[in-house]
Amino acid sequence: MADCDVAIVGAGAAGLFAAARIARAGRSVILIEHAPKLAEKIRISGGGRCNFTNLYTTPENFLGANPHFCRSALAGFTPQDFIALLQTRGIAWHEKHKGQLFCDDSAQDIIGMLCSDCDETGVELWHPCKLTAVERRGACFVLASERGDLHADNLVVATGGLSIPKIGASDFGMRVARQFGHRIIEPRPALVPLTFSAAHWQRFVELAGVSLEVEAGCTVPAGERAVRFVEDLLFTHRGLSGPAILQASSYWRHGSALSIDLVPGVDIVEALLEAKRGARHQLGKELASHLPARLAASWLAQAQLDATQPIAQMRDSDLRALGASLKGWQVEPDGSEGWRKAEVMAGGVDTRQLNSRSLQSELVPGLFFIGEVVDVTGWLGGYNFQWAWASAAACARALAH
Ligand SMILES: Cc1cc2nc3c(=O)[nH]c(=O)nc-3n(C[C@H](O)[C@H](O)[C@H](O)COP(=O)(O)OP(=O)(O)OC[C@H]3O[C@@H](n4cnc5c(N)ncnc54)[C@H](O)[C@@H]3O)c2cc1C
């Protein structure tokens, strides 16, 4: 039987990052990964360039049943700390949009850095290796694996979320959590395109491919924070996608509606009334100066308004109603594209039974949960990797003594 101070399950962002930091402190670490390739989510992230952090990370960029939980770990390891690491390796990066940092070259640079840190610090990698059971014997954890049993004083679960099952996602982490008495916040796909029933979406199918900047949010139960995002929206054959919708999807629950302003920052009612006073435009042409032409045409047809009618002949009340419909489009998705397309999992191991400084279980000493398996979900834009690094660093600090 193999022995180690710390067994880490899952060699993704959080697991690799934690492993090297713990091993550097002189503790023996075995890192176990079941998928054929390590860190696949890093490889496919950010279109192959990994949006590895966000300069403006704050706890407000995360959701979870216990919103303050992430504060301590995020404060203990900041985006600047990760940037400093990249600088020591000469990994070049750039800011793309709203504080989102990407590798100049490839996500492989980050994977290379994490793997070489594990190598240099003597982390023992069991890969590929399937685990069949975990149990607690006395003060130890015993992990049964294809390579035989492993004895560990501490167990760190870094198995990530359920999205993209074909590259290694599993519910192992949540099963272990349950086995040791932890509560689970029901997992759901997040940062995911939303879909509509075919009957409802029929009238929008012709708009597939149209994209525009909107302000989107989701109706949320009383007491929850309502967040709105100004980003692009994309019409698809089955529903809505684009960053604005992905962001709102993390807050969406069955039965709740999206509320979308299709002309953010524009007082559209005033603009239409002004156009009526001044211009000889047709209504369709005027609307197409505020919206993509295909959307403008479809919107008017659905409102049974004649696009060729001179705007000067329109009733004020019709223009007001048209403007209001564009400012407050309410649509109720009936589902999402699911785990196959979701970027992350919302929900997971309930943080109310974890220590926020160390990510250690408050029920079982020596058991830790880090990264996406925990009920801390970041917005789109590098926040999820920042959580993976920060939660791993917090756990590593606790295990370094
Ligand atoms: C397409 C896509 C693009 C993304 N782009 C970004 C981005 O640009 N920026 C950003 O911040 N976030 C992005 N994310 C989210 C980000 O990848 C994750 O939040 C992050 O990887 C979570 O880190 P983790 O270590 O917790 O989990 P992961 O990185 O998923 O690692 C978990 C590891 O555990 C392994 N594992 C699972 N079960 C077992 C088991 N039973 N035994 C052994 N090993 C197991 C998995 O194979 C995997 O290697 C993206 C996600 C996707 C799907």
Side-chain angles (χ1 to χ4, degrees), residues 214-296:
V214 303
E215 183 186 305
C218 211
T219 56
V220 292
E224 271 189 32
R225 194 166 60 112
V227 187
R228 296 183 66 78
F229 298 91
V230 179
E231 299 267 10
D232 283 355
L233 168 151
L234 173 71
F235 284 85
T236 72
H237 284 104
R238 287 161 46 86
L240 294 172
S241 186
I245 297 305
L246 299 185
Q247 299 278 34
S249 75
S250 299
Y251 293 85
W252 179 78
R253 302 294 205 315
H254 272 280
S256 64
L258 292 172
S259 127
I260 300 172
D261 177 349
L262 292 164
V263 279
V266 177
D267 184 342
I268 189 71
V269 171
E270 188 45 43
L272 291 173
L273 293 173
E274 178 68 32
K276 173 178 172 176
R277 287 191 288 271
R280 265 174 260 143
H281 277 163
Q282 293 176 339
L283 175 62
K285 205 158 172 211
E286 178 56 31
L287 204 58
S289 69
H290 298 284
L291 293 174
R294 272 161 72 196
L295 176 57

Side-chain angles (χ1 to χ4, degrees), residues 9-15 32-35 39 41 44-46 50-51 129 131 158-161 163-164 167-170 172 342-344 370-373 382-386 388:
V9 187
I32 303 143
E33 169 62 50
H34 71 163
K41 278 201 187 152
I44 62 172
S45 67
C50 186
N51 176 196
C129 176
L131 292 174
T159 47
S163 62
I164 326 276
I167 57 168
S170 83
F172 177 89
E343 204 160 286
V344 290
I370 59 174
E372 200 182 306
V373 71
Y383 304 100
N384 285 295
F385 278 130
Q386 187 55 36

Side-chain angles (χ1 to χ4, degrees), residues 13-353:
L16 285 164
F17 197 58
R21 292 173 93 81
I22 298 167
R24 187 164 283 126
R27 313 210 69 186
S28 58
V29 178
I30 295 183
L31 175 60
I32 303 143
E33 169 62 50
H34 71 163
K37 286 191 184 159
L38 302 177
E40 272 294 86
K41 278 201 187 152
I42 301 182
R43 191 181 61 76
I44 62 172
S45 67
R49 289 224 161 92
C50 186
N51 176 196
F52 55 82
T53 192
N54 192 296
L55 287 177
Y56 308 123
T57 302
T58 70
E60 280 66 47
N61 304 120
F62 295 83
L63 347 33
N66 179 14
H68 296 297
F69 178 82
C70 58
R71 274 177 195 280
S72 168
L74 291 174
F77 189 86
T78 64
Q80 281 67 29
D81 292 324
F82 197 76
I83 293 167
L85 283 181
L86 297 188
Q87 247 132 19
T88 63
R89 305 307 159 99
I91 297 175
W93 50 269
H94 59 279
E95 181 180 347
K96 210 165 169 185
H97 173 64
K98 298 185 178 173
Q100 300 170 6
L101 303 192
F102 288 77
C103 296
D104 279 359
D105 191 13
S106 145
Q108 202 58 47
D109 289 346
I110 306 254
I111 301 175
M113 173 181 88
L114 297 173
C115 289
S116 75
D117 279 359
C118 284
D119 251 17
E120 281 164 24
T121 52
V123 172
E124 188 178 327
L125 190 58
W126 287 18
H127 170 240
C129 176
K130 296 212 180 340
L131 292 174
T132 48
V134 176
E135 63 173 275
R136 187 131 170 101
R137 246 181 248 161
C140 261
F141 295 92
V142 180
L143 282 69
S145 87
E146 288 175 338
R147 299 198 187 185
D149 283 357
L150 167 61
H151 242 180
D153 294 338
N154 299 280
L155 172 60
V156 178
V157 178
T159 47
L162 295 176
S163 62
I164 326 276
K166 68 172 188 242
I167 57 168
S170 83
D171 67 351
F172 177 89
M174 286 181 284
R175 276 192 280 123
V176 170
R178 274 201 198 94
Q179 175 187 341
F180 288 108
H182 278 266
R183 283 187 304 265
I184 299 295
I185 303 295
E186 186 62 22
R188 56 182 202 283
L191 299 181
V192 66
L194 295 172
T195 56
F196 296 81
S197 68
H200 185 266
W201 205 245
Q202 201 179 6
R203 61 203 153 128
F204 296 109
V205 167
E206 61 177 14
L207 294 176
V210 169
S211 95
L212 71 162
E213 186 175 82
V214 303
E215 183 186 305
C218 211
T219 56
V220 292
E224 271 189 32
R225 194 166 60 112
V227 187
R228 296 183 66 78
F229 298 91
V230 179
E231 299 267 10
D232 283 355
L233 168 151
L234 173 71
F235 284 85
T236 72
H237 284 104
R238 287 161 46 86
L240 294 172
S241 186
I245 297 305
L246 299 185
Q247 299 278 34
S249 75
S250 299
Y251 293 85
W252 179 78
R253 302 294 205 315
H254 272 280
S256 64
L258 292 172
S259 127
I260 300 172
D261 177 349
L262 292 164
V263 279
V266 177
D267 184 342
I268 189 71
V269 171
E270 188 45 43
L272 291 173
L273 293 173
E274 178 68 32
K276 173 178 172 176
R277 287 191 288 271
R280 265 174 260 143
H281 277 163
Q282 293 176 339
L283 175 62
K285 205 158 172 211
E286 178 56 31
L287 204 58
S289 69
H290 298 284
L291 293 174
R294 272 161 72 196
L295 176 57
S298 160
W299 205 264
L300 290 177
Q302 289 185 46
Q304 297 181 329
L305 292 171
D306 178 1
T308 62
Q309 188 176 0
I311 192 165
Q313 293 174 8
M314 297 281 305
R315 285 199 300 252
D316 283 7
S317 58
D318 284 343
L319 292 177
R320 284 181 201 286
L322 175 61
S325 73
L326 292 167
K327 279 302 219 190
W329 184 32
Q330 298 268 336
V331 269
E332 196 176 308
D334 80 340
S336 80
E337 293 283 359
W339 296 115
R340 211 171 41 86
K341 288 278 177 71
E343 204 160 286
V344 290
M345 170 180 90
V349 179
D350 190 337
T351 54
R352 288 166 292 200
Q353 293 172 317

Side-chain angles (χ1 to χ4, degrees), residues 354-378:
L354 300 178
N355 181 306
S356 65
R357 292 165 66 86
S358 63
L359 283 297
Q360 184 167 196
S361 159
E362 286 184 338
L363 310 179
V364 182
L367 177 63
F368 296 75
F369 295 90
I370 59 174
E372 200 182 306
V373 71
V374 175
D375 174 35
V376 173
T377 307

